[in-house]
Structure formats: structure tokens, C-alpha cells
Amino acid sequence: MDMDSTEYKALIVRKKAARERYDRTWKDDFLAFSIYLRSGATQEYVACLCGISSSRMSEILYEWTQVLDDGLQQWFPTPTRSQVLRAYPDRFIEADGHAMCFLLLDAVEIFAQQSSNPNVASTTYSDYKKHPTVKFLAGCGVTGETSADTVPDGNGGKGSDVMMTDDTNILEIVPFGSTAKVDKGFIVDNIASVSCF
């Protein structure tokens, strides 16, 4: 969301009005956000600790995630191709014989709370981790740079790496003639051959 847009300004006005209603400042919200991230406690526990409702705690998590995402994108812009080539790891050139690797792709699972909804519980349960998880497919460049295109939305822990790769079409961002490196859990030969054409 653009910070100069009328939509963003309207959101700020709504946030300020909501805070005035509860006599809360942005510092209170950030404290709740930080406690939740660092302590590993449930949303309900942090909401009770901070004296707010569970729905408000959910809003705080969403809002601060968006604020940090916007801020970090401005602080760490995506490097140009020439900057990437100057910092290209020698190890990749030695292994591949070229500097054409564009994307390193892997999936990561994050622990999730058990849902009372049986459909959600079934979707998030990971047979590999033996508890509910949310799985994210994440791609980065060879020097560690990421962009919004390379981190799609998460899926339930039951989803396979191949299914997420196919659903997100992440391989379509790899330019013709470049390569993507994946770990041995990804068997994406069929997907890659279709995405390249």
C-alpha cells in the first residue's frame, strides 16, 4: 500500500480512532506484538496479559506485520543484476561453471496453534513434523536478496513442496536461460519444463 495514497491515509485515521477508543498508543500495540513474537505464547494469553480482546490482538499482529514489511522493503531494496553479479559466490561458479543461478528455492514450516475447526486442523497437520504447521515456499537470490514475488502466501502443513511450487507459479519469475536451485525434496522437473515455455 502506497503511503501517499488516500487509502493509506484513511487507514491511519481509522487506526487512530480505534486507539483513542481504547486509550492505547502505538507503543502499547508494539509491546503486545513483541511479546507475542518473542515469548512463543498464544495470542489469547498475550491478549489477556495486555488487557485486550483476542480479535484486537489479531489486528495488531496483522497491522505490525504490514508496517514492518513496508519499512524493511524501503530499507533493503532489491539489488540490480550487476550488483548481484559483483557479489556472486565463487562456490556457485565453481560448482556450475557459470553465473546463471537466479533463485534458491526451499520450503519452511512454522509451528501453528491447533484449530478447533476439524477441516483447518486436518489441513495444517504436518505428518513430517507431527504437529500443526503453516508452510511457506521461500525463494531468494544467490546473494540472499528477496523480493515480494519470491515469498508467496503460506499453505497448511499438509501441502507438499511440489504442490506449492505448482500453485504459486514461482518458477515463472526465473528468466529464460537462468536456473533455480532446489533441495532434493523438490521433484519439479515437470513443473519446470512447463513453466519455461
Side-chain angles (χ1 to χ4, degrees):
M1 186 181 306
D2 184 21
M3 295 178 129
D4 295 328
S5 69
T6 56
E7 182 180 306
Y8 182 78
K9 290 176 183 173
L11 177 68
I12 296 298
V13 169
R14 285 196 307 272
K15 284 183 184 178
K16 286 181 181 176
R19 282 196 199 101
E20 288 169 3
R21 222 178 319 147
Y22 299 112
D23 293 328
R24 297 183 55 81
T25 66
W26 67 269
K27 293 177 184 178
D28 298 325
D29 291 350
F30 185 70
L31 177 64
F33 177 77
S34 300
I35 290 171
Y36 175 75
L37 285 184
R38 300 299 297 165
S39 71
T42 63
Q43 286 185 27
E44 290 80 16
Y45 178 78
V46 176
C48 182
L49 185 67
C50 295
I52 56 176
S53 68
S54 295
S55 62
R56 179 64 192 136
M57 185 65 205
S58 181
E59 290 171 5
I60 289 170
L61 292 176
Y62 178 78
E63 290 168 1
W64 274 100
T65 304
Q66 295 301 315
V67 167
L68 290 175
D69 181 49
D70 292 343
L72 291 175
Q73 281 184 14
Q74 291 173 3
W75 288 353
F76 302 103
T78 303
T80 63
R81 182 70 179 152
S82 63
Q83 290 171 328
V84 169
L85 288 174
R86 279 192 300 253
Y88 203 88
D90 292 335
R91 205 167 187 182
F92 278 40
I93 296 173
E94 291 168 5
D96 299 338
H98 56 73
M100 297 303 293
C101 183
F102 183 80
L103 184 69
L104 306 175
L105 189 62
D106 201 0
V108 61
E109 289 187 78
I110 300 171
F111 179 78
Q113 295 179 25
Q114 179 71 37
S115 174
S116 58
N117 182 331
N119 293 331
V120 174
S122 171
T123 303
T124 58
Y125 185 78
S126 170
D127 293 326
Y128 178 69
K129 297 284 186 179
K130 304 294 184 215
H131 56 73
T133 61
V134 177
K135 199 174 210 181
F136 289 91
L137 188 65
C140 71
V142 292
T143 58
E145 77 280 0
T146 60
S147 67
D149 299 338
T150 59
V151 185
D153 293 336
N155 289 334
K158 191 176 277 306
S160 70
D161 298 345
V162 176
M163 179 214 58
M164 290 192 319
T165 305
D166 192 22
D167 287 349
T168 59
N169 297 324
I170 194 167
L171 294 177
E172 290 179 2
I173 66 169
V174 178
F176 182 76
S178 296
T179 62
K181 290 188 179 285
V182 296
D183 66 7
K184 63 183 177 182
F186 283 80
I187 303 171
V188 294
D189 293 339
N190 293 337
I191 299 168
S193 64
V194 171
S195 295
C196 291
F197 298 109

